[in-house]
Amino acid sequence: MKKFLLVFVSACLAAVMFVCGCATDGKDGRDGIDGQNVTIEEIYKKYVDEYGEISYEEFLLKIFSYTNSELDELTGLKSRINKSLMSGVTILSRFGYSVKGGISLLPSYSVYNVYTGSGAILWLDKEAGDAYVVTNCHVVYDDTADSVFCNDVRLYLYGQDESGVNFKVTKSQIRDYSSYDITDDEDYCIKAEVIGASVNYDIALLKVSGSEVLKRSGATVAEFSDGFDVTVGETVYTIGNASGEGMSSSSGIISKDSEFITLTMSSEDEEYLSDDDYISYRVMRITAPINHGNSGGALYNLEGKIIGIVNAKDEEQGVENMGYALPGKSVNMLLGLMYDNYKDNGFEMKSGGGIDKAIIGITTEISDSYSRYNESTATAEIIHQVKVRDVNSNPAKGKLEKGDYLKSAEIISSDGTIKVARFDITRDYYLREAMLSVRKGDKVKLTVERGGQNVDLELVFDSDKYFTHVG
């Protein structure tokens, strides 16, 4: 039976090749039509049409001799990707710009531009039509616009995000400038407001209130993975509005688990920018194809959990499959800070958005760095020995000392519950990013190596002086 099925598959493939043809005119295909890929689903449907009903799983087992575990992974991944589509959103941000009337003494006027991006629903009350959505800060930020953080943010769900069908982006000429508008989206648009944003972390938190579209939708919620670590070679997939063509998925692997890239959030011409306008972001490198419009979309692991937020791609000529995503664990803690600020104070645009982050009061350095292969996890692990270079301020003063090696940490909330379970500080950024979870009254319990001995320390964040504003 297997041999017969393989012959059947080959015949299907040959038929597709015949239909597509070979290029006879120097173009993409015969008559300039691109060749098309046949999918296994199409072959399955053809088989059913000719030979009768058989389940998709049985079909795959017979053709490819999948083991049950391999089949579970394959069909499970398909299910998870499609579920993740239901929590993704296409984002259109409409910015306004005031233009002076000019020498003719005409009155000032406004023009508009529309940018595309992606996001993921993190919390949802469908009955009320309320939701919170994560995206990149640069999707809703333009330092040349009248409102630096966009005040006209529109979200569209999967299946309701096709340009020309569910909305239109129209262009008009207003005197010397082109202006863009979003029209014909009344039945599908979900209005959102920016309630938290950080340029230095490139993350924004959006709020939706009372949306009739959400009330009648099949939207679901995406969840973050709990762990700090991702593994090189780990299979991942993205959900995003690639090239502004609506929500779609792409897959690849983690090709580097941690590196830094330098970007500018400013829309000013490059000649007017200074070094201060460029920001370094810690990211993961991925091979999943990333395009304009993917920004702000979620990166998922095989469990269907968010492990990153896509924010950039390398567009240098000759470079392929080098996309970047902000680490999910730190993003999740950062969103917690933004939500707490909004809940307690309402969103304040102080210093252009940002967060109040707890600081220990030290600078660190990597005194040694090496790798080892872990047989039990089949991974190559990078180990950093993180050393205190200087003690600058409280709460570290009088407790930490120059030359201490940071070994492990635990974060306890003000009510005594464990906020971040004890973790080994085997990478230089672990403690720094865990500090995003600290609020006033919390404790950070540290174990350091001093003079060859382990020393346990406790830092209590009971003063506003132990927090600094990061834009």
Side-chain angles (χ1 to χ4, degrees), residues 178-434:
S178 296
S179 184
Y180 297 83
D181 204 355
I182 307 168
T183 64
D184 301 329
D185 68 342
E186 294 81 5
D187 293 334
Y188 307 104
C189 169
I190 300 171
K191 290 292 187 76
E193 62 174 323
V194 182
I195 63 167
S198 171
V199 171
N200 281 278
Y201 285 94
D202 195 15
I203 287 295
L205 179 61
L206 312 180
K207 183 181 181 182
V208 175
S209 301
S211 167
E212 294 298 324
V213 176
L214 272 181
K215 290 179 183 179
R216 64 176 187 265
S217 75
T220 59
V221 173
E223 297 180 12
F224 278 94
S225 173
D226 289 332
F228 270 111
D229 291 329
V230 295
T231 304
V232 172
E234 182 177 352
T235 300
V236 294
Y237 64 90
T238 67
I239 299 294
N241 177 29
S243 298
E245 298 293 334
M247 301 301 295
S248 62
S249 179
S250 64
S251 62
I253 63 169
I254 300 287
S255 57
K256 194 169 186 179
D257 64 346
S258 181
E259 65 179 304
F260 288 86
I261 59 173
T262 300
L263 303 172
T264 179
M265 201 81 70
S266 178
S267 297
E268 295 281 2
D269 291 337
E270 190 171 347
E271 60 183 301
Y272 299 115
L273 299 180
S274 67
D275 290 344
D276 293 338
D277 293 308
Y278 292 89
I279 302 169
S280 182
Y281 299 95
R282 191 180 79 78
V283 294
M284 303 173 292
R285 189 196 303 172
I286 58 177
T287 64
I290 299 300
N291 294 283
H292 293 286
N294 273 115
S295 291
L299 178 73
Y300 294 88
N301 61 16
L302 284 177
E303 295 179 354
K305 298 292 183 68
I306 297 176
I307 60 170
I309 299 296
V310 173
N311 79 321
K313 64 174 290 187
D314 194 326
E315 295 184 323
E316 185 177 347
Q317 188 172 2
V319 175
E320 296 182 358
N321 291 341
M322 288 181 64
Y324 303 99
L326 300 161
K329 183 71 172 181
S330 58
V331 169
N332 196 17
M333 290 187 287
L334 178 67
L335 291 169
L337 272 176
M338 291 179 178
Y339 175 77
D340 286 348
N341 180 67
Y342 172 77
K343 180 182 65 176
D344 295 340
N345 309 309
F347 182 50
E348 298 179 5
M349 206 68 74
K350 59 182 180 181
S351 302
I355 57 168
D356 293 323
K357 178 185 175 182
I359 55 171
I360 291 179
I362 59 174
T363 55
T364 61
E365 61 186 3
I366 299 174
S367 65
D368 192 14
S369 180
Y370 59 93
S371 63
R372 64 188 180 196
Y373 184 75
N374 187 323
E375 292 283 355
S376 63
T377 60
T379 58
E381 300 174 337
I382 295 176
I383 308 297
H384 293 160
Q385 290 188 351
V386 185
K387 183 179 181 180
V388 176
R389 185 172 63 194
D390 288 300
V391 178
N392 306 311
S393 61
N394 287 321
K397 280 189 173 180
K399 295 193 174 182
L400 284 158
E401 296 180 3
K402 181 178 179 179
D404 285 346
Y405 289 94
L406 303 180
K407 305 300 290 184
S408 66
E410 182 180 41
I411 298 176
I412 310 296
S413 68
S414 56
D415 64 5
T417 60
I418 297 176
K419 182 174 284 188
V420 179
R422 184 164 290 275
F423 59 94
D424 293 332
I425 305 173
T426 54
R427 299 294 283 269
D428 64 318
Y429 53 82
Y430 280 5
L431 180 59
R432 182 171 64 247
E433 294 182 3

Side-chain angles (χ1 to χ4, degrees), residues 98-110 174-177:
S98 296
V99 182
K100 293 182 179 180
I103 59 175
S104 60
L105 301 181
L106 292 171
S108 297
Y109 58 99
S110 295
I174 303 180
R175 301 188 196 173
D176 296 330
Y177 293 90

Side-chain angles (χ1 to χ4, degrees), residues 64-168:
F64 299 110
S65 296
Y66 284 126
T67 65
N68 286 325
S69 61
E70 289 172 334
L71 185 61
D72 287 344
E73 181 176 322
L74 178 67
T75 56
L77 177 59
K78 177 181 175 181
S79 171
R80 284 186 284 274
I81 288 175
N82 280 269
K83 182 179 179 182
S84 298
L85 284 167
M86 302 302 293
S87 59
V89 294
T90 284
I91 299 178
L92 297 184
S93 300
R94 179 175 176 263
F95 290 91
Y97 310 82
S98 296
V99 182
K100 293 182 179 180
I103 59 175
S104 60
L105 301 181
L106 292 171
S108 297
Y109 58 99
S110 295
V111 296
Y112 298 89
N113 210 345
V114 176
Y115 298 101
T116 63
S118 306
I121 300 171
L122 302 179
W123 179 87
L124 176 64
D125 182 343
K126 194 177 295 184
E127 186 175 343
D130 298 344
Y132 290 97
V133 174
V134 61
T135 187
N136 283 144
C137 181
H138 74 256
V139 171
V140 295
Y141 174 89
D142 186 346
D143 59 350
T144 65
D146 293 343
S147 177
V148 173
F149 290 97
C150 189
N151 53 21
D152 185 359
V153 181
R154 309 186 191 195
L155 315 181
Y156 305 86
L157 299 173
Y158 180 63
Q160 301 179 343
D161 58 351
E162 184 176 349
S163 179
V165 176
N166 305 116
F167 62 85
K168 295 178 182 177

